[in-house]
């Protein structure tokens, strides 16, 4: 039997990153996706700020919580 794996990860924006644009921050820090993928994820609300959908050009503030809601995946059979 397979079970969906709901995955969510988050990071708190540190003062040094305040003022950065969300898409730039994500593309520079999390290189496992390129800018186009990050843009799609932001535009489809798979990336949120403080649990709210935002645009790729959102300007970050210290203390913002960036959450990434990863797609469900099936567990492999054992």
């Amino acid at each position: 039997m397979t079970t969906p794996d709901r995955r969510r990860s988050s990071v708190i924006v540190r003062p040094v990153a305040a003022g950065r644009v969300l898409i730039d921050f994500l593309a520079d820090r999390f290189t496992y996706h390129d800018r186009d993928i990050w843009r799609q994820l932001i535009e489809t609300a798979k990336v949120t700020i403080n649990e709210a959908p935002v645009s790729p050009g959102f300007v970050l503030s210290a203390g913002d919580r960036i959450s990434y809601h990863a797609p469900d995946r099936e567990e492999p059979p054992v």
Side-chain angles (χ1 to χ4, degrees):
M1 181 171 149
T2 58
T3 312
D5 178 24
R6 300 206 181 271
R7 301 177 304 146
R8 181 179 124 184
S9 56
S10 62
V11 64
I12 302 296
V13 176
R14 294 183 180 201
V16 69
R20 294 206 58 203
V21 173
L22 175 60
I23 187 109
D24 294 337
F25 177 83
L26 292 173
D28 291 344
R29 180 152 181 206
F30 303 105
T31 58
Y32 49 85
H33 291 314
D34 64 24
R35 287 181 71 80
D36 292 333
I37 297 296
W38 280 120
R39 181 174 304 282
Q40 284 181 318
L41 292 167
I42 296 165
E43 291 174 347
T44 58
K46 300 287 190 233
V47 173
T48 58
I49 302 292
N50 304 321
E51 301 302 322
V54 295
S55 71
F58 181 86
V59 177
L60 299 170
S61 297
D64 281 342
R65 178 183 298 274
I66 303 171
S67 297
Y68 170 46
H69 306 269
D72 292 342
R73 65 178 181 194
E74 297 285 323
E75 284 191 32
V78 290

